[in-house]
Amino acid sequence: MKYLTIIFVLIALLGCSKQPTQYDIVKRNAKLYTIPQLNDPSSYEFASLKLIDSVLYRDNIEYKKQNIKWLLQSDKDMLKSAEDARNRGGLLAELTDEKQIQDYKGNIKKLEGILKDIEAKKLSLGDTINQAASYTYEYSFRAKNAMGALVLEKYIVQTKPAPSFDIINMAKNANKVLLNPNSFPGYDDIMSKYKQ
């Protein structure tokens, strides 16, 4: 009976193997992303990883909508200017190309369709829009530079959401950080529908 108890305890311990955490996965992915770019990959030493931000799918939806709205307004303004020039007559009317006007009209229709489809996708996603689309971390490590000196390097790392936490972007400067990485489910399908 004693041996049976020991066997059950061992099976229970082996069955409860620790699953990697988000921190573990991001740390591993950052290392795998970094190592090939180093002068001396064998000198890599992890220093720190700190979660500093996350972006939700709803944030990405709003960001994409704002960009499309800006493009839409720009095309509407250009169309109005072209039509006004044509209606006034004179030299500007001669320079205004009817094809250009039709292109503006076509692009406006396309952008309005994209906005409509994004809004429909937002509604169909339901509570998914409140899930993280990406994470941003401060990441640092030590490695030997080209001169052989061990230096501390600091980066900002942006990842996809669970379960992969794949690296989307790694930037040394804050101005290279992506505002809304990783889009939202269905965005690529919407854009491919309207590709010319």
Side-chain angles (χ1 to χ4, degrees):
M1 187 70 168
K2 189 179 195 181
Y3 291 113
L4 217 52
T5 304
I6 292 172
I7 290 172
F8 283 127
V9 169
L10 286 174
I11 290 172
L13 289 174
L14 291 174
C16 295
S17 63
K18 182 184 170 199
Q19 294 293 321
T21 64
Q22 178 175 338
Y23 178 88
D24 297 331
I25 296 169
V26 174
K27 180 180 169 184
R28 183 198 69 221
N29 289 349
K31 178 181 179 181
L32 292 173
Y33 189 90
T34 303
I35 292 281
Q37 301 171 41
L38 298 177
N39 290 307
D40 181 359
S42 66
S43 68
Y44 174 88
E45 297 173 12
F46 173 78
S48 68
L49 182 69
K50 179 183 171 190
L51 179 64
I52 57 173
D53 194 13
S54 63
V55 175
L56 305 179
Y57 285 122
R58 76 168 175 245
D59 300 327
N60 286 346
I61 290 169
E62 291 308 311
Y63 179 75
K64 296 293 187 187
K65 281 173 49 178
Q66 289 306 315
N67 284 341
I68 299 294
K69 286 178 181 177
W70 183 86
L71 291 170
L72 179 60
Q73 189 57 54
S74 176
D75 277 357
K76 285 180 175 180
D77 292 344
M78 294 299 288
L79 174 62
K80 183 175 180 344
S81 293
E83 287 178 333
D84 287 349
R86 185 183 59 190
N87 293 336
R88 277 193 300 262
L91 181 60
L92 285 176
E94 292 174 24
L95 296 174
T96 302
D97 184 3
E98 185 60 34
K99 182 185 178 318
Q100 185 181 32
I101 290 174
Q102 293 309 313
D103 287 347
Y104 286 133
K105 288 180 178 179
N107 207 38
I108 289 168
K109 184 177 179 182
K110 177 176 87 169
L111 292 170
E112 287 172 341
I114 291 171
L115 278 175
K116 181 180 169 193
D117 287 358
I118 288 174
E119 195 57 39
K121 178 53 76 175
K122 177 182 174 183
L123 293 174
S124 75
L125 288 173
D127 287 339
T128 303
I129 67 170
N130 297 315
Q131 293 176 4
S134 65
Y135 295 96
T136 302
Y137 297 84
E138 288 176 346
Y139 163 60
S140 60
F141 63 91
R142 288 178 188 80
K144 289 183 179 176
N145 64 15
M147 298 179 67
L150 192 64
V151 294
L152 180 66
E153 297 285 351
K154 295 180 181 182
Y155 285 86
I156 298 171
V157 174
Q158 295 174 289
T159 72
K160 290 183 178 180
S164 71
F165 301 104
D166 290 334
I167 305 295
I168 298 170
N169 184 35
M170 187 178 289
K172 196 160 183 92
N173 300 319
N175 61 351
K176 300 286 185 184
V177 172
L178 304 173
L179 292 178
N180 289 76
N182 202 31
S183 198
F184 59 89
Y187 177 74
D188 291 338
D189 294 335
I190 292 169
M191 295 312 288
S192 65
K193 174 181 170 184
Y194 289 95
K195 233 178 189 175
Q196 292 183 13

